[in-house]
Amino acid sequence: RHAAWVILGYPGAGKTTLLKRFALQEATTCKTDPNLGYLPVLVPLRLLGQKLENHMHWPLEQALLDYLMQYGFSEMSFTAEQERLELRAQFETWLSNGRVLWLLDGLDEQRDQHVQKRTVQAIEALRQHYPGNRFVVTSRIVGYDAAPLGGGFNTATLEPFNDEQMSQFFRHWCYAVEKSEDIVDDEH
């Protein structure tokens, strides 16, 4: 319903796990029906912040794309320049059509407030330049107020699990691991 969220939580509350779950759900939907879901893009913001410091020439609305082009796609084994250019063109089509789910992890994990503010500016500029896409940004509670995202971002706070919830999560996690290991064994 809302297109932009900031998820706050204490260390270890499950913010990154939640983003990975969102990525898996959307990737599954896209694989099942490419016209239905959003293309999930998970970016650790501490890595983006390091690159923003070294690339002050990147226009803010293109900073996340430039980061993916120069570093992210390479990390995904797209090493040929032509291949990365084609991938960027396809990706920009998804962006222009408002079909990308940005999963941006760890806004508070920047080296300093200047980098955190530049990261916030890049996220906000991207959101304005490519309307219709969805954004989920995570941050620890402490550290978020140093450079919060502007208007249009809804905020939610993850609550810690109680004992019953931890037990239930653990049972489901073990079941999921067993099931995935069975699938891998069946494929070999």
Side-chain angles (χ1 to χ4, degrees), residues 30-50:
C30 279
K31 184 178 178 183
T32 305
D33 185 351
N35 297 316
L36 263 184
Y38 290 82
L39 178 67
V41 179
L42 180 61
V43 178
L45 290 177
R46 68 179 159 67
L47 299 178
L48 173 67
Q50 292 169 0

Side-chain angles (χ1 to χ4, degrees), residues 77-98:
S77 300
F78 295 102
T79 53
E81 181 73 16
Q82 185 60 35
E83 189 177 43
R84 290 198 317 261
L85 288 171
E86 290 171 9
L87 189 56
R88 181 179 181 142
Q90 291 174 351
F91 188 72
E92 285 180 339
T93 299
W94 279 76
L95 270 175
S96 296
N97 292 329

Side-chain angles (χ1 to χ4, degrees), residues 111-142:
R111 279 182 18 149
D112 58 44
Q113 284 186 351
H114 172 73
V115 174
Q116 187 173 350
K117 286 178 183 176
R118 184 153 165 80
T119 302
V120 164
Q121 292 168 342
I123 294 167
E124 291 173 343
L126 178 71
R127 187 163 178 254
Q128 285 182 335
H129 193 73
Y130 292 102
N133 294 287
R134 298 187 179 264
F135 290 79
V136 181
V137 181
T138 65
S139 178
R140 292 179 181 153
I141 295 169
V142 174

Side-chain angles (χ1 to χ4, degrees), residues 47-48 50-52 54-55 57-58 63-79 84:
L47 299 178
L48 173 67
Q50 292 169 0
K51 302 306 179 192
L52 282 175
N54 299 327
H55 297 284
H57 63 280
W58 283 351
L64 277 157
L65 289 173
D66 290 342
Y67 166 77
L68 287 175
M69 179 70 182
Q70 291 190 17
Y71 303 102
F73 294 156
S74 296
E75 291 170 11
M76 292 182 272
S77 300
F78 295 102
T79 53
R84 290 198 317 261

Side-chain angles (χ1 to χ4, degrees), residues 172-186:
H172 287 254
W173 181 264
C174 289
Y175 175 75
V177 169
E178 279 182 35
K179 189 174 177 182
S180 68
E181 288 173 351
D182 289 345
I183 291 170
V184 170
D185 288 343
D186 290 345

